Amino acid sequence: MTPYSQRLVTIDATFRCPLECPKCFRQTLRSNNMKIPGDDMTIEQFNKLVNYFARIDICGQVSDPIFNPNFIDFLKICKEKNKKISIHTAASQKPESWWKQAFESNLDAHWIFGIDGLPHESFLYRINQDGEKLFKMMQLAKKCGVKYVIWQYIIFSYNENHIEEANKLAKDNDIIFELNYSGRWQKEKEHDMYKPIDSSKRLISKHDR
Ligand code: SF4
């Protein structure tokens, strides 16, 4: 049996997301006229998980967790019960007052922000994202006292030459910079506008072999 301290669960806490990232499974479902699966996790359901797992990773595959109406309560529960929580988010459609409340409700939470490229260009993949606003929310997190603020940057063709600049921007703001290499490319013969030109900046996908 897995020791308690190593028990980790990764969840989708809702079915909502206002972004339209082209390679997200949401778009596959949508193009096939299928409903996004799932529902908003309740506080009762979340408590059940927290009572069993030592660490909760809210890394949605088809949703952004901040749109669960109970999300700030989830942060507070983890704080009260001394549980680790990581949040992956990319949506910018919440007011600054909401972000402040979320950060202050659990300063130990790990926040991972998906901003692919420099803040002014991230919307090229993260469709509907205001990257500049989200970057300001990362700065706000640091100002509030959140220890782990991580900038996750997936390398695409439009941002592959901006990595150093982004890394410096992160350092200047005491933000952890994390590069992600994607392998979700179309077949070699098909045009994929997001595929980095520099092959060292992409994972080999099955179509590249
Ligand atoms: S932010 Fe996440 S859930 Fe939302 S569209 Fe993009 S990849 Fe999908």
Side-chain angles (χ1 to χ4, degrees):
M1 191 171 168
T2 310
Y4 172 73
S5 61
Q6 290 174 23
R7 284 188 210 156
L8 160 73
V9 65
T10 300
I11 57 171
D12 257 288
T14 180
F15 61 99
R16 306 167 198 271
C17 182
L19 302 197
E20 295 179 9
C21 308
K23 293 179 187 296
C24 177
F25 188 48
R26 289 179 73 88
Q27 313 323 325
T28 311
L29 292 169
R30 199 181 269 177
S31 57
N32 287 297
N33 289 323
M34 291 168 78
K35 190 176 169 281
I36 307 298
D39 212 331
D40 287 320
M41 181 173 278
T42 65
I43 292 179
E44 190 189 2
Q45 289 166 336
F46 189 75
N47 264 315
K48 273 190 194 168
L49 292 176
V50 168
N51 291 341
Y52 185 79
F53 291 96
R55 196 177 142 203
I56 313 288
D57 190 23
I58 313 189
C59 180
Q61 300 303 301
V62 290
S63 69
D64 192 307
I66 66 171
F67 296 99
N68 181 309
N70 303 311
F71 178 73
I72 291 183
D73 287 318
F74 295 167
L75 288 168
K76 289 179 184 164
I77 289 167
C78 288
K79 178 76 184 161
E80 280 160 21
K81 297 191 176 180
N82 198 24
K83 297 295 176 89
K84 291 183 179 157
I85 180 166
S86 305
I87 305 111
H88 295 247
T89 185
S92 48
Q93 288 85 350
K94 286 275 188 188
E96 184 173 330
S97 55
W98 181 92
W99 286 102
K100 191 166 186 294
Q101 197 192 349
F103 296 143
E104 288 176 344
S105 64
N106 187 340
L107 297 177
D108 298 322
H110 291 209
W111 282 87
I112 299 113
F113 290 85
I115 303 179
D116 305 322
L118 293 169
H120 72 268
E121 66 185 357
S122 62
F123 74 94
L124 290 170
Y125 177 71
R126 299 277 181 182
I127 292 170
N128 299 333
Q129 182 190 66
D130 179 344
E132 287 170 312
K133 178 182 171 189
L134 204 56
F135 187 80
K136 282 188 192 140
M137 296 308 103
M138 287 202 289
Q139 291 174 311
L140 178 65
K142 291 303 299 186
K143 200 171 153 200
C144 289
V146 176
K147 295 180 201 87
Y148 293 95
V149 180
I150 299 160
W151 176 356
Q152 186 188 69
Y153 182 121
I154 302 176
I155 309 174
F156 291 118
S157 52
Y158 67 86
N159 67 26
E160 64 183 313
N161 296 319
H162 305 159
I163 295 168
E164 270 180 40
E165 194 180 336
N167 196 6
K168 181 175 180 316
L169 189 58
K171 265 196 194 130
D172 290 347
N173 286 278
D174 195 22
I175 290 166
I176 300 162
F177 189 65
E178 188 185 286
L179 270 186
N180 273 28
Y181 297 76
S182 178
R184 290 188 190 176
W185 311 117
Q186 306 287 346
K187 287 179 187 164
E188 196 62 55
K189 288 178 221 145
E190 293 171 14
H191 175 65
D192 189 329
M193 62 185 280
Y194 292 106
K195 188 173 181 174
I197 308 292
D198 179 350
S199 59
S200 70
K201 290 180 177 149
R202 57 186 194 234
L203 278 186
I204 294 176
S205 71
K206 62 184 176 190
H207 300 306
D208 286 330
R209 286 182 198 131

